[in-house]
Amino acid sequence: MSHYWKFAGARTAFFIAAASVVLLAGSLVGCGDQGRANGVTLAVLTTSPADYDNSQVITSGVVRRFEEPLHYWIEDDDLNRVEIFPHEKIAPYLGEVVLVEGRFRFSTTEGRRLTLTDIKRK
């Protein structure tokens, strides 16, 4: 009988150790995901902006501008739009299709905005 209990004890210890590793790995992955960007379309940002408020997102569209008051945005074929900041970073891409990454914010008074952390021609 003592041989059985040694085996059972070793097996239990193994399962406890394995569970601990899984839990630790899961908590580390969860920590890393907080800063990870969500790939999302402009259509989704337009129809569900509150779901992405204060999130890091990646999206794409054509860069457009309006002069008075000066502002830049990206839009898709269906005219879904998100304003882009800072203007001096997006301005050189006017008329081009770009992939942008940044912090998305939504406000009922200020609309949909994205502050750039990265931009690439598509």
Side-chain angles (χ1 to χ4, degrees), residues 7-8 16-18 21 24 26 29 34 48 54 59 71 74 80-81 89-90 98 104 116 119 121-122:
F7 175 74
I16 290 171
V21 168
L24 178 62
V29 168
Q34 290 175 357
S48 303
N54 202 31
T59 193
H71 60 282
I74 59 171
N80 294 302
R81 298 176 176 151
K89 283 189 177 179
I90 193 75
V98 294
F104 178 78
L116 288 172
I119 183 168
R121 286 178 174 88
K122 214 170 166 195

Side-chain angles (χ1 to χ4, degrees), residues 11-56:
R11 197 166 109 183
T12 302
F14 170 77
F15 284 120
I16 290 171
S20 297
V21 168
V22 169
L23 290 173
L24 178 62
S27 68
L28 291 175
V29 168
C31 290
D33 285 347
Q34 290 175 357
R36 189 168 293 168
N38 296 306
V40 63
T41 65
L42 289 174
V44 170
L45 290 175
T46 300
T47 57
S48 303
D51 292 346
Y52 293 90
D53 186 37
N54 202 31
S55 293
Q56 191 75 9

